[in-house]
């Protein structure tokens, strides 16, 4: 049986993952308005992934006889300074999520809640992948720079990443 403290902490993580899904959906819409189709598709997929991360927590809490709560999600921003600023924000949000997952792991360990420790391993690996992906995108953006063709090149890069991710999913 999961503790009330652990359940409350996992329910807080549901809020964070749900917010990430809404934030990335908002970013997808902004990218679409800028004509950045590759970036928009990328953010749509990230949004769906975050929704899945939220549901995974939701199902787990129920499975261990806790009470999973549907989150109140605050409205994310709708405007972004630039596509570079947008991806910087994504990276920072992912770092925040990683910190939060690490705190959950700390709590689960201190409570000897090995089922939750085991459940959280998946999130630790996922966060490592996501941070690495976002850092890679930011590095590419720095290489491409701010010249007149930069938006076109950045969008093409994101379209290539989408293709690679889709190919991975199909394996
Ligand atoms: Fe589920 Fe990328 O945080």
């Amino acid at each position: 049986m999961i503790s009330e403290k652990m359940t409350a902490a996992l329910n807080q993580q549901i809020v964070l993952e749900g917010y990430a899904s809404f934030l990335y959906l908002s970013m997808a819409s902004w990218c679409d308005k800028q004509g950045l189709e590759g970036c928009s598709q990328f953010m749509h997929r990230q949004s769906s992934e975050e929704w899945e991360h939220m549901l995974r927590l939701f199902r787990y809490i129920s499975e261990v006889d806790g009470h999973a709560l549907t989150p109140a999600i605050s409205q994310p921003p709708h405007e972004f300074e630039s596509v570079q600023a947008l991806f910087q924000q994504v990276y920072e949000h992912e770092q925040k999520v990683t910190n939060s997952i690490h705190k959950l792991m700390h709590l689960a360990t201190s409570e000897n809640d090995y089922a939750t420790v085991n459940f959280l391993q998946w999130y630790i690996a996922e966060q490592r992948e996501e941070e690495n992906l976002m850092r890679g995108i930011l590095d590419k953006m720095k290489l491409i720079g701010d010249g007149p063709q930069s938006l076109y090149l950045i969008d093409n890069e994101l379209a290539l990443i989408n293709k690679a991710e889709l190919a991975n999913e199909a394996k």
Side-chain angles (χ1 to χ4, degrees):
M1 173 96 180
I2 194 165
S3 74
E4 277 184 21
K5 194 175 175 187
M6 193 73 244
T7 305
L10 290 173
N11 271 318
Q12 270 309 111
Q13 189 66 27
I14 284 180
V15 177
L16 206 52
E17 303 285 351
Y19 181 77
S21 180
F22 273 26
L23 175 63
Y24 298 168
L25 190 61
S26 176
M27 288 172 164
S29 172
W30 183 87
C31 289
D32 188 57
K33 292 293 280 178
Q34 314 301 310
L36 299 167
E37 202 183 320
C39 294
S40 178
Q41 281 175 8
F42 178 83
M43 292 318 304
H44 266 292
R45 214 186 46 256
Q46 292 302 119
S47 172
S48 299
E49 278 188 17
E50 297 303 344
W51 194 255
E52 269 307 311
H53 297 174
M54 182 189 77
L55 291 180
R56 189 183 269 258
L57 282 152
F58 206 87
R59 287 191 288 260
Y60 175 73
I61 295 172
S62 297
E63 198 186 319
V64 290
D65 206 23
H67 190 177
L69 305 177
T70 49
I73 299 176
S74 42
Q75 195 170 37
H78 294 119
E79 295 297 335
F80 303 92
E81 215 176 286
S82 64
V83 71
Q84 290 89 343
L86 181 149
F87 275 92
Q88 183 62 36
Q89 229 175 296
V90 173
Y91 182 50
E92 284 165 15
H93 192 73
E94 290 302 326
Q95 287 179 309
K96 187 175 166 183
V97 172
T98 301
N99 282 337
S100 179
I101 294 287
H102 288 175
K103 281 186 187 151
L104 287 174
M105 184 59 110
H106 183 72
L107 178 61
T109 308
S110 70
E111 290 193 356
N112 295 333
D113 179 350
Y114 299 116
T116 303
V117 167
N118 178 252
F119 169 74
L120 290 170
Q121 299 284 7
W122 182 89
Y123 283 86
I124 288 180
E126 178 71 12
Q127 281 313 117
R128 192 185 61 233
E129 269 180 34
E130 293 209 334
E131 278 198 31
N132 187 39
L133 176 64
M134 296 311 162
R135 220 174 14 250
I137 291 171
L138 285 172
D139 285 347
K140 281 236 165 76
M141 285 181 173
K142 275 185 204 138
L143 281 176
I144 291 170
D146 284 333
Q149 307 296 327
S150 67
L151 286 179
Y152 177 76
L153 292 172
I154 286 169
D155 202 46
N156 270 359
E157 278 296 328
L158 268 293
L160 285 175
I161 292 172
N162 288 336
K163 261 193 195 166
E165 297 268 315
L166 274 176
N168 263 342
E169 282 165 20
K171 272 182 194 166

